[in-house]
Amino acid sequence: MSRGGSGGRTRVKTSRGRTAQSNRWLERQLNDPYVKRAHAEGYRSRSAYKLIELDERFGLLKGARAILDLGVAPGGWAQVVRKQAPKARIVGIDLLPVDPIEGVDLLQMDFMLDAAPDFLMDALGMAPDLVLSDMAANTTGHTPTDALRTMGLVEAATEFAVQVLRPGGAFVAKVFAGGADSTLVAELKRNFTHVKHAKPPASRKDSSEWYVIAQGFKGHHEPDRDPSA
């Protein structure tokens, strides 16, 4: 690697062991101000600043006592939660192993397993104020397929949040291609007082990543009754 260009920009020398695409990715990482800031401030990923920015805009972590972090790896969001809400109970889940974070219970398992919700709630020990989902399906390279697979995760996270949140609680999920689809938005609006989409500044402009923020959980609905019954 060598430094060159204006403003001290880091340029990556071509290596036989790396493709041009890999070089572009590495150069972007080395010159990304959020990556540099994450290293300087001890966060495990630049994505920590997405949650920081969402929290500044929506006040997600204020007063939160119990939080679930779905798709916790590598732990940047959990670090933010721990810093912003140091007394809160925090439980995270991911398929990937995550290095320990003080004050955070970590489960290495597939959130889509039938047993996962019970494991999460047993670990948390109380109804959450906030359910965070930064989950995304592993990419196949086929954009429509990737979008559908990720939307499946978002739908599962939404269903879970509606089942476990305390009244007044909030749900945040990563979505793609401009936001959640109309069916999911309708479901969120049925269950939450406020539903908005946001793209925090830390989310790269060339990314199709957005977040849906649902606040003011209305509580559990009684099933519709047949008036003739």
Side-chain angles (χ1 to χ4, degrees), residues 176-196:
F176 288 99
D181 66 25
S182 57
T183 303
L184 181 60
V185 169
E187 175 67 10
L188 290 170
K189 287 184 175 180
R190 192 174 77 86
N191 286 284
F192 293 85
T193 305
H194 305 288
V195 178
K196 293 184 178 180

Side-chain angles (χ1 to χ4, degrees), residues 129-140:
D129 307 285
L130 177 62
V131 174
L132 301 169
S133 173
D134 202 28
M135 294 188 294
N138 292 330
T139 56
T140 64

Side-chain angles (χ1 to χ4, degrees), residues 64-186:
R65 297 169 298 169
I67 298 145
L68 292 172
D69 186 346
L70 314 180
V72 63
W77 278 31
Q79 287 179 299
V80 172
V81 173
R82 182 71 178 141
K83 184 176 180 179
Q84 301 291 86
K87 295 182 179 180
R89 293 271 307 138
I90 310 164
V91 177
I93 186 171
D94 207 288
L95 269 171
L96 300 173
V98 180
D99 290 335
I101 302 170
E102 184 180 353
V104 180
D105 289 334
L106 298 167
L107 304 178
Q108 185 181 352
M109 67 185 304
D110 186 350
F111 172 71
M112 299 299 281
L113 291 175
D114 290 343
D118 287 340
F119 273 102
L120 281 165
M121 294 308 296
D122 287 347
L124 194 64
M126 61 193 298
D129 307 285
L130 177 62
V131 174
L132 301 169
S133 173
D134 202 28
M135 294 188 294
N138 292 330
T139 56
T140 64
H142 185 251
T143 302
T145 299
D146 294 339
L148 284 172
R149 293 174 68 208
T150 293
M151 190 50 64
L153 291 173
V154 175
E155 290 170 353
T158 300
E159 182 180 351
F160 172 67
V162 167
Q163 290 173 351
V164 302
L165 275 170
R166 70 161 181 81
F171 171 61
V172 177
K174 177 159 63 181
V175 294
F176 288 99
D181 66 25
S182 57
T183 303
L184 181 60
V185 169

Side-chain angles (χ1 to χ4, degrees), residues 6-58:
S6 61
R9 181 178 177 82
T10 301
R11 297 195 180 280
V12 179
K13 289 182 177 178
T14 302
S15 166
R16 289 181 181 177
R18 287 195 301 267
T19 64
Q21 183 179 3
S22 295
N23 276 340
R24 286 194 297 272
W25 179 88
L26 183 56
E27 187 168 316
R28 183 175 70 170
Q29 286 292 103
L30 289 170
N31 291 286
D32 187 321
Y34 284 102
V35 172
K36 294 178 179 179
R37 187 176 165 192
H39 283 303
E41 297 183 3
Y43 288 117
R44 295 180 182 181
S45 63
R46 70 186 303 286
S47 67
Y49 298 101
K50 299 173 191 176
L51 181 57
I52 289 171
E53 290 163 354
L54 290 172
D55 182 46
E56 288 174 351
R57 180 173 172 185
F58 296 101

